[in-house]
Amino acid sequence: MPLVTIDLIENVFTPSQKRELIEKVTEAMVAVEGEKMRPVTWVRIKEFKENDWAIGGNPLNASAVHALAAGKAA
Amino acid sequence: MPLVTIDLIENVFTPSQKRELIEKVTEAMVAVEGEKMRPVTWVRIKEFKENDWAIGGNPLNASAVHALAAGKAA
Amino acid sequence: MPLVTIDLIENVFTPSQKRELIEKVTEAMVAVEGEKMRPVTWVRIKEFKENDWAIGGNPLNASAVHALAAGKAA
Amino acid sequence: MPLVTIDLIENVFTPSQKRELIEKVTEAMVAVEGEKMRPVTWVRIKEFKENDWAIGGNPLNASAVHALAAGKAA
Amino acid sequence: MPLVTIDLIENVFTPSQKRELIEKVTEAMVAVEGEKMRPVTWVRIKEFKENDWAIGGNPLNASAVHALAAGKAA
Amino acid sequence: MPLVTIDLIENVFTPSQKRELIEKVTEAMVAVEGEKMRPVTWVRIKEFKENDWAIGGNPLNASAVHALAAGKAA
């Protein structure tokens, strides 16, 4: 039953990071719900186009998020 | 009012199958709610990129779903 | 894989109508995708509180939807 | 906390109209919730492919929506 | 076509504030898309239970959001 | 930016398990994206009413999910 949807902005994460997000989030779910629930634990990534996601009215592109991740002001 | 969202993985269904999904699901809704509700019955398809949808931590691509549909192990 | 979410307003449909929506929509999906996909076909109903869903700025309650279904102006 | 998601069909709005939607909707939210909530007010646009969004079973493309916006029957 | 979903935490806004959010967001949409699109502009509020929405791992209740809105640390 | 939504059926998990899901999933996200992204990592739980979530057309209640988690047929 559990369905997890991870919303991201395109081009922020590499394919291998996305794969890692799916794996780690699945393990986090199974750790709480129990191993038997694994086959019905679905995890999905949904990506939004750059500039289609705004915080406080300011659209974000991948560079802005990378700057934020590096500890600079967005 | 009713809004139906069908989440799929890209490249699993052909355009004509997607069209058929929309038609059949709309008819299923109208059969229960009544014909007068048809103009406010919205049905949408949202597609996820291949490998962005995982079951039990295993990302699925279109081939894996086709194998499943054909009765083979995913 | 297919995940269908049916968004409704509370108190518009009876529990048996909701059950019927789930059954008919599931059958509509399986008719297109094939019987083998049934175990991975998930259908869900998500209900919104009355007046939390507006068309053109006018919030709808269950009575308004019933009037619409009966062919009266909403 | 507030998270607003605006679902659109691709190619209906220009990039500058989409930018304007994000700005105006953000301001509408902040006008009610107060200026202090701006940094936690997220607004996103999610686009559906043409013909993946149907009303009453009729898939819409951008032209159909433009005709509707111009006051013609969809 | 446009569908707007406003995600909130329960008990943060009063019913009249929620009504105002729906009205102002609808007007913001119509201002960009044109008056003819009003009848197909749907705006909805979806509420999450208190403590079911976390920022950085810290669940928020209505009091925490009110403190944030008043300019105090969350 | 990352927004994670965990869809569950009501009464399957206790409040403390839900809290644990939020914490573990947040940590899984931060482990990949970096600590600086924590303040913009939002994780939410959305609960569906029992019997409003069906697999293969069979509505699930909390007991059915508990039986599944215990290794019995759903």
Side-chain angles (χ1 to χ4, degrees):
Chain A
M1 153 210 66
L3 176 81
V4 182
T5 308
I6 303 170
D7 292 353
L8 303 177
I9 293 172
E10 284 185 346
N11 305 318
V12 167
F13 296 103
T14 64
S16 79
Q17 283 178 309
K18 288 170 57 184
R19 174 74 192 248
E20 204 183 345
L21 284 174
I22 286 176
E23 285 171 5
K24 285 189 192 302
V25 168
T26 301
E27 295 311 316
M29 294 298 298
V30 171
V32 177
E33 69 198 11
E35 187 60 36
K36 292 279 174 40
M37 295 290 284
R38 184 185 294 271
V40 288
T41 299
W42 292 7
V43 177
R44 311 178 305 167
I45 288 176
K46 183 168 61 183
E47 291 189 306
F48 288 71
K49 292 174 197 148
E50 297 189 58
N51 297 312
D52 278 1
W53 188 320
I55 294 188
N58 299 310
L60 293 172
N61 57 21
S63 304
V65 180
H66 287 146
L68 189 64
K72 298 165 197 158
Chain B
M1 149 211 67
L3 176 81
V4 182
T5 307
I6 303 169
D7 291 354
L8 303 176
I9 293 172
E10 285 186 346
N11 305 318
V12 168
F13 295 102
T14 64
S16 79
Q17 283 178 309
K18 287 170 57 184
R19 174 75 191 247
E20 204 183 345
L21 283 174
I22 286 177
E23 286 171 5
K24 284 190 193 302
V25 168
T26 301
E27 295 310 317
M29 294 297 297
V30 171
V32 177
E33 69 197 11
E35 187 60 37
K36 292 280 173 42
M37 295 290 284
R38 184 184 294 271
V40 288
T41 299
W42 292 9
V43 176
R44 310 179 304 168
I45 288 176
K46 183 167 61 183
E47 290 188 307
F48 288 72
K49 291 174 197 147
E50 297 188 60
N51 297 313
D52 279 1
W53 188 320
I55 295 187
N58 299 310
L60 293 172
N61 58 20
S63 305
V65 179
H66 287 146
L68 189 65
K72 298 163 197 160
Chain C
M1 149 213 68
L3 175 81
V4 182
T5 308
I6 303 170
D7 292 354
L8 302 177
I9 293 172
E10 284 186 347
N11 305 319
V12 168
F13 296 103
T14 64
S16 78
Q17 283 178 309
K18 287 170 57 183
R19 174 75 191 247
E20 205 183 345
L21 283 174
I22 286 177
E23 285 171 6
K24 284 189 192 303
V25 168
T26 301
E27 294 311 316
M29 294 297 298
V30 171
V32 177
E33 69 198 12
E35 188 60 36
K36 292 280 174 40
M37 295 289 284
R38 184 185 294 270
V40 287
T41 299
W42 292 9
V43 176
R44 310 179 304 168
I45 288 177
K46 184 168 60 183
E47 290 189 307
F48 287 71
K49 292 174 197 148
E50 297 189 60
N51 297 312
D52 278 1
W53 188 319
I55 294 187
N58 300 310
L60 293 172
N61 57 21
S63 304
V65 180
H66 287 146
L68 189 65
K72 298 165 197 157
Chain D
M1 151 212 65
L3 175 80
V4 182
T5 308
I6 304 169
D7 291 354
L8 303 177
I9 293 171
E10 284 186 347
N11 304 319
V12 168
F13 295 103
T14 64
S16 79
Q17 284 178 309
K18 287 171 57 184
R19 174 73 191 248
E20 205 183 344
L21 283 174
I22 286 176
E23 286 172 4
K24 285 190 193 302
V25 168
T26 301
E27 295 310 316
M29 294 297 297
V30 171
V32 177
E33 69 197 12
E35 188 59 38
K36 292 280 174 38
M37 296 289 284
R38 185 184 294 271
V40 287
T41 299
W42 292 8
V43 177
R44 311 178 304 168
I45 288 176
K46 184 168 61 182
E47 291 189 305
F48 287 71
K49 291 174 197 149
E50 298 189 59
N51 297 313
D52 278 2
W53 188 319
I55 294 187
N58 299 311
L60 293 172
N61 57 20
S63 304
V65 180
H66 287 146
L68 189 65
K72 299 163 197 158
Chain E
M1 151 213 66
L3 175 81
V4 182
T5 307
I6 303 170
D7 291 355
L8 303 176
I9 293 172
E10 284 186 348
N11 305 318
V12 167
F13 295 103
T14 64
S16 79
Q17 283 178 310
K18 287 170 56 184
R19 174 75 191 249
E20 204 183 345
L21 283 174
I22 286 177
E23 286 172 5
K24 283 189 195 301
V25 168
T26 301
E27 295 310 316
M29 294 298 297
V30 171
V32 177
E33 68 197 12
E35 188 60 35
K36 292 279 173 42
M37 295 289 283
R38 184 184 295 271
V40 288
T41 299
W42 292 8
V43 176
R44 310 180 304 169
I45 288 176
K46 184 168 61 182
E47 291 189 305
F48 287 71
K49 291 174 197 149
E50 298 189 59
N51 296 313
D52 278 1
W53 189 320
I55 295 188
N58 300 311
L60 292 172
N61 58 19
S63 304
V65 180
H66 286 147
L68 188 65
K72 300 164 197 156
Chain F
M1 149 212 67
L3 176 81
V4 181
T5 307
I6 302 169
D7 292 354
L8 303 176
I9 292 173
E10 285 186 346
N11 305 319
V12 168
F13 295 103
T14 64
S16 79
Q17 283 177 308
K18 288 171 57 183
R19 174 73 191 249
E20 204 182 345
L21 283 174
I22 287 177
E23 286 171 6
K24 285 190 193 302
V25 168
T26 301
E27 295 311 316
M29 294 298 298
V30 171
V32 177
E33 69 198 10
E35 188 59 37
K36 291 279 173 43
M37 295 289 284
R38 184 185 293 272
V40 288
T41 298
W42 292 9
V43 176
R44 309 178 305 168
I45 287 176
K46 185 167 59 183
E47 290 188 307
F48 287 71
K49 292 174 196 148
E50 297 189 60
N51 296 313
D52 278 2
W53 188 320
I55 294 187
N58 299 311
L60 293 172
N61 58 20
S63 305
V65 180
H66 287 146
L68 189 64
K72 299 162 197 158

